[in-house]
Amino acid sequence: MEFDLQKTAVVFLALIALGTLALVAAPMMTTQTVLMMVTPSMLVFGLVCLLIGVKHGEWRATH
């Protein structure tokens, strides 16, 4: 499967949504905590990992 910007964004957001829904359904934290603290942290961490992965892929493709 070849990833383009649209497919990557859809998969990225689906993973974040699935993680958020799982944490809201689990009885370990309140919904407010999940939505105000955990979900934004997942988004930032995911974007950092995505950018590192893209840059590493670019480096691998040129070396």
Side-chain angles (χ1 to χ4, degrees):
M1 175 190 242
E2 299 249 352
F3 283 99
D4 58 6
L5 182 61
Q6 183 181 6
K7 288 178 188 171
T8 302
V10 168
V11 171
F12 180 78
L13 292 175
L15 284 172
I16 299 298
L18 183 64
T20 299
L21 289 174
L23 286 172
V24 167
M28 61 181 103
M29 286 183 271
T30 64
T31 302
Q32 182 179 3
T33 302
V34 171
L35 295 178
M36 294 187 69
M37 296 178 73
V38 178
T39 301
S41 298
M42 286 193 296
L43 285 169
V44 170
F45 181 73
L47 286 173
V48 168
C49 289
L50 181 64
L51 291 174
I52 290 171
V54 167
K55 290 299 176 186
H56 180 67
E58 290 174 355
W59 179 81
R60 289 282 308 255
T62 59
H63 290 89

